[in-house]
Amino acid sequence: DQQVKQNSPSLSVQEGRISILNCDYTNSMFDYFLWYKKYPAEGPTFLISISSIKDKNEDGRFTVFLNKSAKHLSLHIVPSQPGDSAVYFCAASPISGGYNKLIFGAGTRLAVHP
Amino acid sequence: EPEVTQTPSHQVTQMGQEVILRCVPISNHLYFYWYRQILGQKVEFLVSFYNNEISEKSEIFDDQFSVERPDGSNFTLKIRSTKLEDSAMYFCASSGPGGREKLFFGSGTQLSVL
């Protein structure tokens, strides 16, 4: 089941530069999208979300862009910091009766080096 | 910041044994979830729970699995007769009164079935 795809398993970026993580989805019933960050031995930590009625949401250094026609979203981190090094998961939620059943992508491991 | 707590952090059991994984969700949350991540694979939805009943479950969540909220604070996942393929990191999560808000995840219980 590949409803949410993160095609880049890893990304390496220099400190201070922009990190762009990409995610594609296939199910047009998804209407809510989230990015989570995960460190080893910890649970996923919420970063930022976007509803399908928007095409951009910004929170500090993190911006998520949604292109519904392309079924694509991306997470921009500017500027990247070494502490951002983690696995980033894209997740999508189908239209539902009020709860979040999240479908996760496989994750992208981001390494930010000095 | 309030957090979801899970115990134990590691659980080793023999195949065929029953295990109970425990979680204390965030106190004012109303929606509760279990997810799991088999090593090297995606984080997968298992079950959602609201108003003292299962609201949705995945095909993974068969008759060997059950969830319970025995009191006002705990949320448990029971696996009646564990199989080797149940070995995974199990994450509990909860979300707020709106339901479609972000999920907060616990740090997980690493279950190893021998």
Side-chain angles (χ1 to χ4, degrees):
Chain A
D1 183 355
Q2 293 287 320
Q3 295 188 72
V4 179
K5 302 180 199 178
Q6 293 177 257
N7 291 320
S8 298
S10 63
L11 176 67
S12 182
V13 171
Q14 191 168 20
E15 182 179 5
R17 307 292 282 268
I18 184 171
S19 295
I20 300 176
L21 297 100
N22 294 302
C23 178
D24 297 293
Y25 62 96
T26 57
N27 191 339
S28 57
M29 296 300 288
F30 290 148
D31 71 334
Y32 188 53
F33 304 89
L34 308 92
W35 284 93
Y36 279 83
K37 177 169 74 171
K38 186 179 181 305
Y39 295 116
E42 294 185 12
T45 302
F46 172 80
L47 268 180
I48 193 167
S49 63
I50 188 166
S51 164
S52 60
I53 62 173
K54 295 186 176 181
D55 54 20
K56 177 182 174 181
N57 189 26
E58 191 171 351
D59 184 2
R61 295 186 298 115
F62 302 92
T63 303
V64 56
F65 296 92
L66 175 63
N67 182 334
K68 288 186 290 293
S69 61
K71 293 190 174 66
H72 177 85
L73 64 155
S74 61
L75 174 68
H76 292 208
I77 306 173
V78 182
S80 302
Q81 299 172 353
D84 295 329
S85 298
V87 178
Y88 288 78
F89 291 99
C90 169
S93 175
I95 297 167
S96 62
Y99 57 88
N100 265 327
K101 171 187 173 181
L102 298 183
I103 310 298
F104 282 87
T108 297
R109 183 176 301 277
L110 173 66
V112 180
H113 51 90
Chain B
E1 185 170 327
E3 59 180 25
V4 175
T5 57
Q6 290 186 244
T7 55
S9 56
H10 293 85
Q11 176 86 51
V12 181
T13 190
Q14 295 290 324
M15 189 170 57
Q17 295 296 304
E18 174 183 288
V19 294
I20 298 176
L21 309 183
R22 303 182 190 277
C23 170
V24 178
I26 294 172
S27 60
N28 66 338
H29 283 184
L30 300 178
Y31 296 82
F32 312 112
Y33 314 82
W34 285 98
Y35 286 75
R36 79 174 185 187
Q37 186 179 26
I38 295 172
L39 187 64
Q41 297 186 25
K42 293 183 179 184
V43 177
E44 301 173 291
F45 169 81
L46 291 179
V47 66
S48 59
F49 190 86
Y50 171 71
N51 201 24
N52 282 321
E53 61 182 22
I54 290 174
S55 42
E56 186 169 351
K57 59 184 180 180
S58 71
E59 61 275 9
I60 303 167
F61 195 90
D62 61 22
D63 292 344
Q64 294 301 311
F65 290 86
S66 63
V67 290
E68 193 178 30
R69 187 155 164 82
D71 52 42
S73 60
N74 292 285
F75 180 52
T76 63
L77 174 69
K78 181 192 290 185
I79 309 174
R80 288 189 185 81
S81 177
T82 50
K83 302 189 276 283
L84 296 176
E85 54 265 37
D86 293 328
S87 295
M89 179 72 88
Y90 287 81
F91 294 107
C92 174
S94 67
S95 62
R100 299 220 70 198
E101 300 164 22
K102 61 189 180 186
L103 269 65
F104 289 81
F105 284 83
S107 296
T109 294
Q110 180 64 56
L111 176 65
S112 299
V113 182
L114 305 178

